[in-house]
Amino acid sequence: MTMLLLCVLRMQAQEQRPVVTLLTDSGTIKIALYNETPLHRDNFLKLVREGFYDGVLFHRVIFGFMIQTGDSLSRHAEPGKLYGDGFYEKYKIPAEIRYPQLLHRRWAVAAAREGDEKNPQMESSMCQFYIVYGRRFNDDMLDEQQEKLDEYTKGRIQMSPETREIYKKYGGTPHLDGQYTVFGEVIDGRDVVDKIQRVDTDANARPKGDIRILKATVE
C-alpha cells in the first residue's frame, strides 16, 4: 500500500508540472517544468507570459550536443551576427542544481550561464536556455566523461551505476552535470528538436537559416 501511494503521489506531481508550448517555424515543442526548481520554473513562466520569447532565434545549435535560445536581441537579428553574450540581462537566477535527481539526459532543458571565472556561484541566465540532445555512451566513453567531470568539478560529481545506465540507454551530455541548472524536459516535439540540431550552422554555431520561436504560451 505504501509503495502504491508513493507511485500515485509521484504521478500526481508530474501531472501538475506546468507545461510551456514553443511554436517554432520548424514545429511545436512542449516543455514540462520541474517543481523541484521553483525559481527557474517561476521565472520561465513569467517570461513566457510576458511574451519575452516570441520571435527570438535558436541562436546556437551544435549537432549531437544541444540547441540554445532565449537572447531577446536575436528577435531583430542581423545576418551572420553572434548572439548569446547576455550583456543586457538585468538579473541572474540562483543555481538550483539537483544532481543526481535532475540530469543532462537527452531532452533535458537547462539554463545557460556565464563561466566559472565570472560566475563561481553558477547562477543562471535570466532568459537563455538550451535543450540537450547529446549522444548515447558505452562504459569506456562514460569513463572519459567522468574524467572530464573530475576536472571540471574537482571530483565533486561522481556518476553512480544508475546514472551511467541512463546515459547508456537514453544519451545526453553528462560532462555538464552538477554545473548547470536543469529545470525541465521536452515531453512533445522531440522530433522537432532532433531536426533543429541537424541544421547547417556557421562558424559561430548559428544556423545559416534562421530558426525562430514564433510564440511561447503556458498551457
Side-chain angles (χ1 to χ4, degrees), residues 52-215:
F52 182 94
Y53 292 108
D54 298 353
V56 304
L57 298 182
F58 284 93
H59 63 268
R60 185 168 178 250
V61 171
I62 301 177
F63 174 71
F65 183 39
M66 60 92 217
I67 64 176
Q68 184 171 333
T69 184
D71 185 343
S72 68
L73 298 183
S74 71
R75 190 176 289 110
H76 307 290
E78 300 176 21
K81 184 175 179 180
L82 173 66
Y83 289 93
D85 59 21
F87 69 89
Y88 63 89
E89 295 184 12
K90 298 178 181 178
Y91 59 89
K92 292 182 173 65
I93 309 170
E96 294 181 294
I97 297 169
R98 304 290 184 253
Y99 183 86
Q101 179 184 9
L102 304 179
L103 303 169
H104 278 79
R105 60 185 290 174
R106 183 170 290 175
W107 317 122
V109 178
R113 68 172 179 87
E114 291 184 314
D116 291 351
E117 290 186 4
K118 291 184 178 180
N119 180 27
Q121 291 79 28
M122 297 183 283
E123 294 177 315
S124 299
S125 162
M126 64 168 274
C127 52
Q128 293 190 51
F129 66 95
Y130 58 93
I131 300 174
V132 173
Y133 193 81
R135 62 180 302 176
R136 291 185 177 91
F137 294 84
N138 60 34
D139 282 318
D140 289 341
M141 296 160 66
L142 285 171
D143 289 343
E144 293 176 358
Q145 292 291 299
Q146 185 61 65
E147 290 178 2
K148 289 183 179 180
L149 283 170
D150 290 342
E151 177 185 353
Y152 298 157
T153 70
K154 296 180 173 57
R156 179 172 52 86
I157 300 299
Q158 298 292 317
M159 286 188 284
S160 68
E162 293 78 13
T163 297
R164 292 172 69 97
E165 286 303 313
I166 288 172
Y167 283 120
K168 285 193 283 188
K169 183 175 181 179
Y170 300 105
T173 56
H175 69 281
L176 299 180
D177 279 340
Q179 302 160 80
Y180 296 80
T181 296
V182 175
F183 66 92
E185 65 180 285
V186 174
I187 57 172
D188 196 15
R190 292 175 173 181
D191 58 324
V192 179
V193 177
D194 181 45
K195 180 168 63 175
I196 293 173
Q197 65 99 28
R198 295 176 183 274
V199 301
D200 290 335
T201 58
D202 62 18
N204 292 320
R206 176 178 165 181
K208 292 181 179 179
D210 287 348
I211 302 172
R212 197 175 297 275
I213 297 175
L214 304 175
K215 183 73 175 177

